[in-house]
Amino acid sequence: MNQPNNPLHGVTLETVVKRLVEHYGWEELGDRIRINCFISDPSVKSSLKFLRKTPWAREKVETLFVDTFSREPR
């Protein structure tokens, strides 16, 4: 199904986290979104586990991703 108005269509949560970490680094990501999985001994694996169980945190991460990368060409 085509979802032209959904900027996250076809983008996995793992890709979202990895691109944000590449762009900001763990420290700045933890400053922007104050959740422990980005602050205390961060890793992609632990972040994914937390974000999949916590809708409010996932929404914050996805919003930051869209805000950060929506101006870039795909």
Side-chain angles (χ1 to χ4, degrees):
M1 181 175 228
N2 192 9
Q3 297 181 10
N5 295 326
N6 181 356
L8 293 172
H9 180 70
V11 180
T12 66
L13 183 58
E14 183 175 7
T15 299
V16 168
V17 171
K18 286 181 176 181
R19 289 213 41 215
L20 287 172
V21 171
E22 287 173 7
H23 186 79
Y24 292 112
W26 287 113
E27 188 173 337
E28 186 175 346
L29 192 55
D31 289 341
R32 289 176 175 269
I33 303 174
R34 302 292 300 171
I35 52 178
N36 269 347
C37 67
F38 294 158
I39 298 167
S40 178
D41 194 26
S43 73
V44 172
K45 183 177 178 180
S46 66
S47 297
L48 291 174
K49 184 175 180 180
F50 176 76
L51 294 170
R52 287 182 177 129
K53 294 180 183 179
T54 317
W56 64 264
R58 181 177 183 151
E59 184 178 334
K60 287 183 179 220
V61 170
E62 290 174 342
T63 298
L64 178 61
F65 178 84
V66 169
D67 291 347
T68 301
F69 298 109
S70 65
R71 293 171 197 80
E72 290 185 359
R74 287 189 176 201

